């Protein structure tokens, strides 16, 4: 067997990501939010309150990360509340603000 046949093939270069590309990389398909479905019936009220609070905290954490706030120490209650106003969400409670910081802390 010739030596050239034993030489491993070079690995193909990975496709550039948004952060490494010289110009913007377009997504394959346009983003469309998922269709909303009603929450399951028959749960205690506290479950619905907690569920909606978690969803709100996730939305706020994503908006903060997109705006450049990457550390929980940078996300004071005022910052979180101003972000909520800018994305069109009701002002969060102190508990929700605490949950936003916790999500940012544990996502690392």
């Amino acid at each position: 067997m010739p030596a050239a046949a034993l030489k491993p093939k070079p690995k193909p270069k990975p496709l550039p990501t948004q952060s490494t590309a010289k110009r913007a990389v377009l997504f394959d398909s346009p983003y469309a939010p998922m269709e909303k479905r009603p929450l399951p019936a028959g749960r205690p009220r506290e479950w619905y309150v907690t569920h909606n609070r978690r969803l709100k905290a996730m939305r706020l954490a994503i908006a903060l990360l997109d705006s450049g706030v990457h550390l929980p120490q940078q996300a004071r209650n005022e910052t979180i509340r101003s972000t909520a106003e800018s994305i069109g969400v009701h002002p969060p409670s102190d508990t929700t603000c605490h949950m936003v910081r916790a999500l940012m802390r544990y996502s690392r």
Side-chain angles (χ1 to χ4, degrees), residues 29-80:
S29 59
Y31 168 76
M34 293 180 63
E35 183 180 327
K36 289 188 177 182
R37 298 181 319 207
L39 293 174
R43 307 256 175 140
R45 176 173 167 70
E46 189 58 33
W47 184 89
Y48 298 104
V49 171
T50 305
H51 176 77
N52 289 329
R53 179 170 282 152
R54 286 179 183 149
L55 291 178
K56 185 179 205 174
M58 281 191 281
R59 281 191 210 105
L60 287 168
I62 291 167
L64 284 166
L65 291 169
D66 287 345
S67 69
V69 178
H70 296 289
L71 298 173
Q73 298 87 355
Q74 297 172 322
R76 293 185 305 278
N77 287 359
E78 301 83 30
T79 309
I80 296 171

Side-chain angles (χ1 to χ4, degrees), residues 1-107:
M1 187 177 247
L6 297 175
K7 194 184 230 182
K9 292 182 182 178
K11 290 184 181 179
K13 277 187 145 180
L15 294 173
T17 61
Q18 190 74 30
S19 61
T20 61
K22 301 226 185 317
R23 59 184 183 278
V25 176
L26 298 175
F27 290 112
D28 290 347
S29 59
Y31 168 76
M34 293 180 63
E35 183 180 327
K36 289 188 177 182
R37 298 181 319 207
L39 293 174
R43 307 256 175 140
R45 176 173 167 70
E46 189 58 33
W47 184 89
Y48 298 104
V49 171
T50 305
H51 176 77
N52 289 329
R53 179 170 282 152
R54 286 179 183 149
L55 291 178
K56 185 179 205 174
M58 281 191 281
R59 281 191 210 105
L60 287 168
I62 291 167
L64 284 166
L65 291 169
D66 287 345
S67 69
V69 178
H70 296 289
L71 298 173
Q73 298 87 355
Q74 297 172 322
R76 293 185 305 278
N77 287 359
E78 301 83 30
T79 309
I80 296 171
R81 289 189 176 117
S82 66
T83 303
E85 185 179 334
S86 68
I87 64 171
V89 176
H90 286 286
S93 64
D94 289 343
T95 306
T96 305
C97 291
H98 185 273
M99 194 177 284
V100 169
R101 285 188 289 275
L103 281 170
M104 292 174 76
R105 186 174 301 118
Y106 293 119
S107 68

